[in-house]
Amino acid sequence: MQPALTSISTRRLLARVRDVMAGSAAAQVRLNEITAIIAAEMSADVCSIYVRRAGDVLELFATQGLKPQAVHRTRLRLGEGLVGDIAANARPLAISDAHNHPQFAFRPETGEEVFRSLMGVPILRDGKVLGTLAMQKTERYQFTEEEVEVLQTVAMVVAEMVAGGELVGRDELLPADGIGLLPLRIRGMRLNGGMAMGQAVLHQHEVKIDRLVAEDPVAEQRRLSRALADMHTALDRLFQESLLPGYGEHREVLEAYRMFAEDAGWLQRIREAIATGLTAEAGVKKVQSDLRLRMAQVPDPYLRERVHDLEDLANRLLHHLTGANGIVSAAASPVTEMVLIARSMGPAELLDYDLARLRALVLEEGSHASHVAVIARALDIPVVGHARDVLLRIEENDLVIVDGDNAQVFLRPGEDVVATFHESIEARRQRAAGYAALRDLPATTCDGEHVSVNINVGLLGDVQHLDHWGADGIGLYRTEVPFMVRAGFPDVESQCELYAKVLDQAAGRPVVFRTLDVGGDKMLPYWKPAPEENPAMGWRAIRVSLDRPAMLRQQMRALIRAAGGRELRLMFPMVADVSEFEAARSLLGMELAREERRGGILPASLKVGAMLEVPSLAFQLRALLAKVDFISVGSNDLLQFLFGCDRGNPRLSERYDPLSPLVLAFLRNVLTECRAARVPVGLCGEMAGRPLEAMALIGIGYRDLSVAPPAVGPLKAMIRSLDCQALRRYVESLYDLPDHNVRERLRSFARDHGVAL
Ligand code: PEP
Ligand code: MG
């Protein structure tokens, strides 16, 4: 068996590949030579390069060891065979007995039946798979991790050649439908609402690297240190000079970003890559693509999002290393109404652009937890994420309409779409003016029933919506959100400061703080519990808090101190039975006693509630109601558990309807018991934010709703047009129906009774 390659022999291999690439021979000749060098240096019997062609086909472009006549004849579909699997999943494979692997796809023309073991890595560039680089040996052989690493490094060098367009025209990698410059609509995920139109500015962070292989590793390490120092100085300036508001969680996001830049593990990996013979910039790129690969397999969306921060940093560092001042060149675009299009983005990259000209943001990736989405929300621009292949389908300066509310993007819209856009902007303006006029009016029905309309918030910046939308209070303050955007667990003092600010801004209006609801899809970046098969039903919310009481007690301490002399309302998420509530309540008692002992000012009054989001609790409601001050129904989780249907699964999102008679009957029973026990009950899930659903809830008898801030206006308009008595009688007739949903029936009621939906 051959020993793994040392860093000296890796350097020699890289240097030889570089010399061939820089040569003047035809591309095919150079590629053949490269396979020969890799096979010789890595003691393999075969080295083959498969290049991705149009139609998602991998074509054998060069080989050392397989039959030469198979070159340009052997083709595999993406995902077919081991070579196809490597490209489809963008991950390396090392298999000692490839023949017996279920995915092995035998191609007789290659003569590969004599080769047993196989190792292959994807040829990646800027997150795109350009092909597969594979090695084979006749004997069974267990390739080592080091060998995989070396082949990845070589693949990176080969990627430059493939991307250069000498082997396959660049346009072959574009999807078939994209390039006709026809109008196109792309659906995505709503990351921030609103509508905007502008010209496309493509945020391509492709940094051209001329030198991949270094002569002098020590000099490269020095270059890296210099570039890092320059980058830190430039970042300080960028954050200071940005147009962002002076306070709010986006500041935390930028702090977290700055800490990533000092991540010792990241820097160490770059330094190690440089030690193998890469230049500083190639080292940064290598670590960037390794990270992308590894993170693509991490199920936690929060952690996956953090890759974008590191990518942002890596790109910035590359700019400093290649002498482009650390500024993305697209940021210099002269376009006056910019719609920024990116695969992904870190928060600081967004700040490179002139925010005064930025109208909207479209991302191929991204999620609510993306730091860039937090920043974009602070700027109040529409953002659509998960816009598939948008970068491939658009050209610089194309006209784009972004409809954040409906999560869609129109590329090169026709005149009719543009006209509709202008109409909807006008209609939105009129509706907004109508809602603004309702701002200071109460949400009272025509027959005099008052409904308390509150807002759900998570970021400090959202609290200002109380005044803007004229809400009665904050029905749900998701305390985990500020924890999620930070780089580390906030101590009691900083939590206290934050909660006090929330209460100050609420200026006497009620605020319900929900204790930490982490776990499930809400992971903290600095806290890594063991992976779970079923996280939504796993170790989350109050379960975590009760198992880690110190964390909950710190949070309670901070809340008690923040409220000192004012009213404090808090509630616990995901309570499944009374004992959980009691346990959490008794911890609160301890914290109150502690504060009293230390002579602190206690809250002027205290209200402690439970969220009803696990159906089991409904069967112990009577016992619970004797102990709580209020109940808040979390319909998002409640419906997920009632129907046994993952709330985040887009395939199931339309399958069950909150306006099902069984849901209405369930909610009616909860309300009846709460009323009998004289315990206030509200509902704070998404369903309350949609006027038709909210109307049904009011018909059942709910008088306390908490919704996303932009829903307040439409809800008030609906409520003020409502005849509550007639609605109650009508809803009474729905509970026992066998229907899948009663949506149409409720719509007809609204139409017949002039309800403003
Ligand atoms: C809910 O589950 O309805 C709820 C309001 O909590 P979250 O959406 O934060 O889980
Ligand atoms: Mg919930």
Side-chain angles (χ1 to χ4, degrees):
M1 198 188 293
Q2 297 291 328
L5 292 182
T6 62
S7 70
I8 294 178
S9 46
T10 309
R11 279 218 287 276
R12 191 182 60 203
L13 165 59
L14 285 178
R16 287 187 66 190
V17 171
R18 175 204 52 196
D19 290 347
V20 172
M21 278 179 52
S24 55
Q28 180 69 54
V29 175
R30 281 181 283 146
L31 205 62
N32 295 347
E33 257 186 81
I34 288 172
T35 55
I37 291 171
I38 298 171
E41 292 280 347
M42 295 188 76
S43 309
D45 301 304
V46 175
C47 173
S48 310
I49 293 174
Y50 292 80
V51 175
R52 184 174 180 172
R53 306 211 63 162
D56 279 343
V57 164
L58 293 162
E59 179 175 310
L60 180 64
F61 255 67
T63 185
Q64 169 71 33
L66 296 183
K67 290 187 182 156
Q69 56 269 36
V71 171
H72 298 302
R73 268 186 63 210
T74 295
R75 292 176 147 223
L76 293 153
R77 275 176 285 110
L78 203 67
E80 185 187 358
L82 296 168
V83 164
D85 182 274
I86 291 162
N89 296 307
R91 58 148 198 243
L93 278 183
I95 294 166
S96 61
D97 185 3
H99 286 195
N100 288 321
H101 194 278
Q103 254 179 288
F104 183 67
F106 176 54
R107 287 286 192 271
E109 73 276 9
T110 60
E112 65 184 329
E113 59 274 20
V114 297
F115 304 112
R116 263 214 116 70
S117 47
L118 177 143
M119 161 166 82
V121 298
I123 300 174
L124 288 167
R125 194 164 186 277
D126 290 311
K128 300 219 160 57
V129 178
L130 304 182
T132 298
L133 171 59
M135 270 176 42
Q136 287 167 281
K137 290 190 186 225
T138 37
E139 76 269 28
R140 279 178 195 238
Y141 175 75
Q142 195 57 59
F143 292 96
T144 63
E145 266 184 42
E146 287 80 10
E147 285 169 314
V148 174
E149 280 263 326
V150 171
L151 200 63
Q152 281 177 308
T153 308
V154 180
M156 193 177 128
V157 179
V158 173
E160 289 304 306
M161 190 165 169
V162 179
E166 291 174 276
L167 299 164
V168 173
R170 284 167 65 94
D171 51 348
E172 266 209 43
L173 294 172
L174 302 175
D177 64 349
I179 296 310
L181 295 183
L182 295 169
L184 196 68
R185 184 181 72 141
I186 297 186
R187 295 198 63 81
M189 178 196 263
R190 172 193 162 129
L191 299 185
N192 200 33
M195 280 189 102
M197 183 162 73
Q199 277 177 283
V201 173
L202 309 194
H203 175 79
Q204 310 264 31
H205 33 226
E206 226 176 90
V207 182
K208 180 114 183 59
I209 296 187
D210 298 323
R211 262 183 350 113
L212 286 163
V213 183
E215 307 289 345
D216 179 357
V218 180
E220 294 302 316
Q221 302 283 13
R222 268 201 306 271
R223 283 183 64 227
L224 178 71
S225 303
R226 251 194 324 271
L228 279 166
D230 290 350
M231 180 178 85
H232 283 287
T233 315
L235 277 176
D236 287 344
R237 208 170 331 118
L238 178 71
F239 293 169
Q240 268 161 24
E241 290 171 3
S242 92
L243 286 180
L244 282 166
Y247 70 90
E249 274 71 11
H250 50 276
R251 290 280 155 205
E252 305 277 352
V253 162
L254 297 180
E255 258 330 295
Y257 178 87
R258 208 192 295 268
M259 290 186 68
F260 276 122
E262 279 152 27
D263 184 291
W266 181 63
L267 295 173
Q268 172 70 12
R269 282 200 295 277
I270 298 175
R271 294 213 179 270
E272 282 168 7
I274 295 173
T276 68
L278 295 174
T279 57
E281 48 271 47
V284 174
K285 271 224 144 169
K286 161 115 188 2
V287 171
Q288 192 179 13
S289 55
D290 288 353
L291 196 74
R292 234 182 246 162
L293 259 183
R294 262 186 295 130
M295 295 309 268
Q297 282 142 39
V298 172
D300 173 8
Y302 188 85
L303 278 185
R304 267 206 316 267
E305 282 304 335
R306 301 291 68 80
V307 181
H308 301 323
D309 295 40
L310 283 173
E311 290 220 359
D312 177 340
L313 278 168
N315 289 326
R316 200 164 290 274
L317 196 50
L318 286 173
H319 281 286
H320 282 284
L321 281 164
T322 52
N325 290 332
I327 302 291
V328 199
S329 54
S333 160
V335 168
T336 50
E337 313 263 308
M338 279 199 269
V339 173
L340 198 53
I341 317 270
R343 183 168 62 77
S344 64
M345 237 189 183
E349 279 172 311
L350 188 65
L351 300 185
D352 285 333
Y353 289 85
D354 177 358
L355 302 178
R357 291 186 284 139
L358 188 61
R359 297 288 169 266
L361 175 64
V362 179
L363 301 170
E364 286 190 351
E365 298 175 2
S367 74
H368 285 278
S370 324
H371 279 163
V372 71
V374 175
I375 301 280
R377 282 196 284 269
L379 295 168
D380 200 21
I381 54 170
V383 187
V384 172
H386 287 224
R388 224 173 138 220
D389 288 338
V390 62
L391 275 172
L392 291 177
R393 294 177 154 90
I394 196 161
E395 303 223 324
E396 197 77 33
N397 295 333
D398 275 354
L399 189 66
V400 187
I401 290 177
V402 181
D403 174 1
D405 298 339
N406 298 302
Q408 52 187 351
V409 183
F410 297 90
L411 310 184
R412 303 171 289 277
E415 276 174 25
D416 50 339
V417 178
V418 173
T420 314
F421 167 79
H422 285 302
E423 280 162 23
S424 4
I425 286 283
E426 179 52 23
R428 278 175 75 92
R429 205 191 52 70
Q430 284 179 12
R431 271 203 308 275
Y435 299 146
L438 297 178
R439 201 180 55 193
D440 299 323
L441 299 176
T444 304
T445 64
C446 302
D447 50 346
E449 286 279 332
H450 181 70
V451 180
S452 171
V453 179
N454 302 280
I455 54 174
N456 298 343
V457 300
L459 295 174
L460 184 58
D462 294 339
V463 181
Q464 67 190 5
H465 290 308
L466 268 178
D467 290 322
H468 186 258
W469 300 101
D472 292 321
I474 295 175
L476 169 62
Y477 185 88
R478 292 181 163 104
T479 57
E480 63 278 5
V481 178
F483 280 65
M484 284 165 71
V485 296
R486 275 165 209 250
F489 207 90
D491 58 14
V492 175
E493 205 175 306
S494 52
Q495 286 189 59
C496 178
E497 198 182 315
L498 171 71
Y499 304 143
K501 271 190 200 148
V502 173
L503 289 169
D504 292 347
Q505 284 191 41
R509 280 163 292 193
V511 178
V512 181
F513 290 97
R514 174 174 74 184
T515 60
L516 269 187
D517 183 7
V518 291
D521 62 341
K522 290 184 265 197
M523 276 308 179
L524 304 181
Y526 38 86
W527 191 63
K528 295 187 183 65
E532 295 180 283
E533 282 217 353
N534 222 332
M537 297 206 274
W539 196 53
R540 55 173 287 208
I542 196 170
R543 301 167 186 180
V544 174
S545 296
L546 292 178
D547 291 354
R548 296 278 181 278
M551 195 169 80
L552 180 61
R553 287 186 65 166
Q554 282 184 15
Q555 184 174 40
M556 289 167 165
R557 204 172 305 157
L559 284 165
I560 292 168
R561 287 184 197 162
R566 301 184 267 198
E567 178 186 69
L568 175 61
R569 298 184 188 210
L570 62 85
M571 64 181 178
F572 305 115
M574 287 279 292
V575 177
D577 74 8
V578 176
S579 73
E580 288 181 335
F581 176 81
E582 281 180 316
R585 181 69 183 79
S586 85
L587 291 176
L588 180 63
M590 289 182 206
E591 281 306 318
L592 286 163
R594 176 194 165 117
E595 193 58 23
E596 196 168 16
R597 275 199 309 277
R598 91 185 254 281
I601 307 171
L602 292 182
S605 71
L606 181 67
K607 292 203 165 33
V608 189
M611 286 191 79
L612 195 154
E613 9 182 33
V614 185
S616 58
L617 193 60
F619 297 92
Q620 219 179 19
L621 207 48
R622 217 160 291 163
L624 179 76
L625 291 171
K627 299 179 186 295
V628 294
D629 298 311
F630 66 93
I631 293 283
S632 183
V633 180
S635 58
N636 304 338
D637 275 310
L638 180 65
L639 294 180
Q640 141 161 290
F641 297 127
L642 261 186
F643 288 115
C645 178
D646 182 349
R647 66 191 257 190
N649 186 336
R651 279 181 82 159
L652 298 172
S653 62
E654 313 254 301
R655 189 162 191 113
Y656 302 102
D657 197 320
L659 290 179
S660 146
L662 75 89
V663 173
L664 304 187
F666 186 98
L667 293 175
R668 187 248 340 245
N669 294 347
V670 169
L671 183 93
T672 310
E673 287 209 47
C674 289
R675 274 201 184 145
R678 296 181 184 283
V679 172
V681 56
L683 190 142
C684 64
E686 301 292 321
M687 75 179 282
R690 294 186 288 267
L692 190 70
E693 278 85 336
M695 185 185 89
L697 292 170
I698 293 167
I700 298 171
Y702 283 81
R703 295 290 177 269
D704 185 341
L705 304 178
S706 195
V707 300
V712 172
L715 239 57
K716 274 192 176 181
M718 182 275 289
I719 292 167
R720 291 177 60 83
S721 64
L722 205 60
D723 174 349
C724 212
Q725 285 311 316
L727 175 66
R728 190 185 54 74
R729 280 193 300 275
Y730 182 69
V731 170
E732 203 63 52
S733 70
L734 304 176
Y735 297 122
D736 294 324
L737 291 176
D739 303 23
H740 177 67
N741 69 55
V742 290
R743 194 164 283 282
E744 263 322 302
R745 292 176 193 268
L746 285 162
R747 272 212 193 98
S748 310
F749 174 90
R751 258 194 313 273
D752 296 348
H753 291 78
V755 182
L757 286 181

PDB file of all heavy atoms in Angstrom, residues 505-517:
ATOM      1  N   GLN A 505     -39.993  51.012  24.918  1.00  0.00           N
ATOM      2  CA  GLN A 505     -40.602  51.389  23.638  1.00  0.00           C
ATOM      3  C   GLN A 505     -42.085  51.076  23.606  1.00  0.00           C
ATOM      4  O   GLN A 505     -42.848  51.747  22.924  1.00  0.00           O
ATOM      5  CB  GLN A 505     -39.902  50.665  22.496  1.00  0.00           C
ATOM      6  CG  GLN A 505     -38.572  51.273  22.179  1.00  0.00           C
ATOM      7  CD  GLN A 505     -38.026  50.707  20.868  1.00  0.00           C
ATOM      8  OE1 GLN A 505     -38.751  50.530  19.909  1.00  0.00           O
ATOM      9  NE2 GLN A 505     -36.757  50.416  20.858  1.00  0.00           N
ATOM     10  N   ALA A 506     -42.495  50.041  24.327  1.00  0.00           N
ATOM     11  CA  ALA A 506     -43.923  49.701  24.347  1.00  0.00           C
ATOM     12  C   ALA A 506     -44.700  50.748  25.144  1.00  0.00           C
ATOM     13  O   ALA A 506     -45.931  50.836  25.016  1.00  0.00           O
ATOM     14  CB  ALA A 506     -44.131  48.323  24.932  1.00  0.00           C
ATOM     15  N   ALA A 507     -43.999  51.510  25.954  1.00  0.00           N
ATOM     16  CA  ALA A 507     -44.570  52.657  26.691  1.00  0.00           C
ATOM     17  C   ALA A 507     -45.909  52.315  27.350  1.00  0.00           C
ATOM     18  O   ALA A 507     -46.928  52.952  27.116  1.00  0.00           O
ATOM     19  CB  ALA A 507     -44.732  53.836  25.729  1.00  0.00           C
ATOM     20  N   GLY A 508     -45.901  51.286  28.180  1.00  0.00           N
ATOM     21  CA  GLY A 508     -47.096  50.987  28.974  1.00  0.00           C
ATOM     22  C   GLY A 508     -48.043  50.002  28.316  1.00  0.00           C
ATOM     23  O   GLY A 508     -48.921  49.454  28.981  1.00  0.00           O
ATOM     24  N   ARG A 509     -47.891  49.771  26.999  1.00  0.00           N
ATOM     25  CA  ARG A 509     -48.757  48.768  26.382  1.00  0.00           C
ATOM     26  C   ARG A 509     -48.258  47.377  26.784  1.00  0.00           C
ATOM     27  O   ARG A 509     -47.056  47.189  26.983  1.00  0.00           O
ATOM     28  CB  ARG A 509     -48.742  48.923  24.852  1.00  0.00           C
ATOM     29  CG  ARG A 509     -49.654  50.055  24.393  1.00  0.00           C
ATOM     30  CD  ARG A 509     -49.350  50.478  22.990  1.00  0.00           C
ATOM     31  NE  ARG A 509     -48.037  51.126  22.914  1.00  0.00           N
ATOM     32  CZ  ARG A 509     -47.595  51.822  21.878  1.00  0.00           C
ATOM     33  NH1 ARG A 509     -48.352  51.967  20.821  1.00  0.00           N
ATOM     34  NH2 ARG A 509     -46.400  52.384  21.894  1.00  0.00           N
ATOM     35  N   PRO A 510     -49.197  46.419  26.938  1.00  0.00           N
ATOM     36  CA  PRO A 510     -48.767  45.110  27.432  1.00  0.00           C
ATOM     37  C   PRO A 510     -47.787  44.406  26.486  1.00  0.00           C
ATOM     38  O   PRO A 510     -47.909  44.514  25.267  1.00  0.00           O
ATOM     39  CB  PRO A 510     -50.069  44.308  27.520  1.00  0.00           C
ATOM     40  CG  PRO A 510     -51.086  45.081  26.760  1.00  0.00           C
ATOM     41  CD  PRO A 510     -50.646  46.498  26.704  1.00  0.00           C
ATOM     42  N   VAL A 511     -46.817  43.731  27.088  1.00  0.00           N
ATOM     43  CA  VAL A 511     -45.850  42.943  26.307  1.00  0.00           C
ATOM     44  C   VAL A 511     -45.798  41.548  26.926  1.00  0.00           C
ATOM     45  O   VAL A 511     -45.557  41.417  28.125  1.00  0.00           O
ATOM     46  CB  VAL A 511     -44.427  43.546  26.388  1.00  0.00           C
ATOM     47  CG1 VAL A 511     -43.437  42.687  25.609  1.00  0.00           C
ATOM     48  CG2 VAL A 511     -44.404  44.978  25.902  1.00  0.00           C
ATOM     49  N   VAL A 512     -46.052  40.526  26.126  1.00  0.00           N
ATOM     50  CA  VAL A 512     -45.939  39.155  26.620  1.00  0.00           C
ATOM     51  C   VAL A 512     -44.609  38.580  26.140  1.00  0.00           C
ATOM     52  O   VAL A 512     -44.406  38.386  24.943  1.00  0.00           O
ATOM     53  CB  VAL A 512     -47.097  38.265  26.104  1.00  0.00           C
ATOM     54  CG1 VAL A 512     -46.950  36.847  26.657  1.00  0.00           C
ATOM     55  CG2 VAL A 512     -48.441  38.852  26.488  1.00  0.00           C
ATOM     56  N   PHE A 513     -43.718  38.357  27.096  1.00  0.00           N
ATOM     57  CA  PHE A 513     -42.433  37.745  26.746  1.00  0.00           C
ATOM     58  C   PHE A 513     -42.584  36.230  26.785  1.00  0.00           C
ATOM     59  O   PHE A 513     -43.058  35.681  27.780  1.00  0.00           O
ATOM     60  CB  PHE A 513     -41.352  38.134  27.762  1.00  0.00           C
ATOM     61  CG  PHE A 513     -40.951  39.578  27.688  1.00  0.00           C
ATOM     62  CD1 PHE A 513     -41.510  40.523  28.543  1.00  0.00           C
ATOM     63  CD2 PHE A 513     -39.994  39.984  26.771  1.00  0.00           C
ATOM     64  CE1 PHE A 513     -41.134  41.853  28.482  1.00  0.00           C
ATOM     65  CE2 PHE A 513     -39.610  41.320  26.705  1.00  0.00           C
ATOM     66  CZ  PHE A 513     -40.186  42.259  27.556  1.00  0.00           C
ATOM     67  N   ARG A 514     -42.203  35.597  25.725  1.00  0.00           N
ATOM     68  CA  ARG A 514     -42.190  34.134  25.756  1.00  0.00           C
ATOM     69  C   ARG A 514     -40.773  33.693  26.086  1.00  0.00           C
ATOM     70  O   ARG A 514     -39.814  34.175  25.464  1.00  0.00           O
ATOM     71  CB  ARG A 514     -42.595  33.577  24.396  1.00  0.00           C
ATOM     72  CG  ARG A 514     -42.443  32.071  24.363  1.00  0.00           C
ATOM     73  CD  ARG A 514     -42.956  31.477  23.108  1.00  0.00           C
ATOM     74  NE  ARG A 514     -42.069  31.724  21.982  1.00  0.00           N
ATOM     75  CZ  ARG A 514     -42.345  31.352  20.739  1.00  0.00           C
ATOM     76  NH1 ARG A 514     -43.499  30.762  20.475  1.00  0.00           N
ATOM     77  NH2 ARG A 514     -41.502  31.577  19.769  1.00  0.00           N
ATOM     78  N   THR A 515     -40.622  32.789  27.040  1.00  0.00           N
ATOM     79  CA  THR A 515     -39.263  32.340  27.377  1.00  0.00           C
ATOM     80  C   THR A 515     -38.706  31.552  26.188  1.00  0.00           C
ATOM     81  O   THR A 515     -39.446  31.148  25.297  1.00  0.00           O
ATOM     82  CB  THR A 515     -39.249  31.472  28.656  1.00  0.00           C
ATOM     83  OG1 THR A 515     -40.064  30.335  28.442  1.00  0.00           O
ATOM     84  CG2 THR A 515     -39.746  32.261  29.853  1.00  0.00           C
ATOM     85  N   LEU A 516     -37.399  31.350  26.225  1.00  0.00           N
ATOM     86  CA  LEU A 516     -36.678  30.776  25.081  1.00  0.00           C
ATOM     87  C   LEU A 516     -37.375  29.575  24.443  1.00  0.00           C
ATOM     88  O   LEU A 516     -37.661  28.597  25.113  1.00  0.00           O
ATOM     89  CB  LEU A 516     -35.314  30.292  25.549  1.00  0.00           C
ATOM     90  CG  LEU A 516     -34.150  31.255  25.472  1.00  0.00           C
ATOM     91  CD1 LEU A 516     -32.876  30.508  25.816  1.00  0.00           C
ATOM     92  CD2 LEU A 516     -34.045  31.879  24.104  1.00  0.00           C
ATOM     93  N   ASP A 517     -37.630  29.686  23.163  1.00  0.00           N
ATOM     94  CA  ASP A 517     -38.207  28.568  22.411  1.00  0.00           C
ATOM     95  C   ASP A 517     -37.154  28.102  21.415  1.00  0.00           C
ATOM     96  O   ASP A 517     -37.285  28.311  20.214  1.00  0.00           O
ATOM     97  CB  ASP A 517     -39.486  29.047  21.704  1.00  0.00           C
ATOM     98  CG  ASP A 517     -40.192  27.918  20.962  1.00  0.00           C
ATOM     99  OD1 ASP A 517     -39.785  26.755  21.102  1.00  0.00           O
ATOM    100  OD2 ASP A 517     -41.157  28.209  20.241  1.00  0.00           O
TER     101      ASP A 517
END
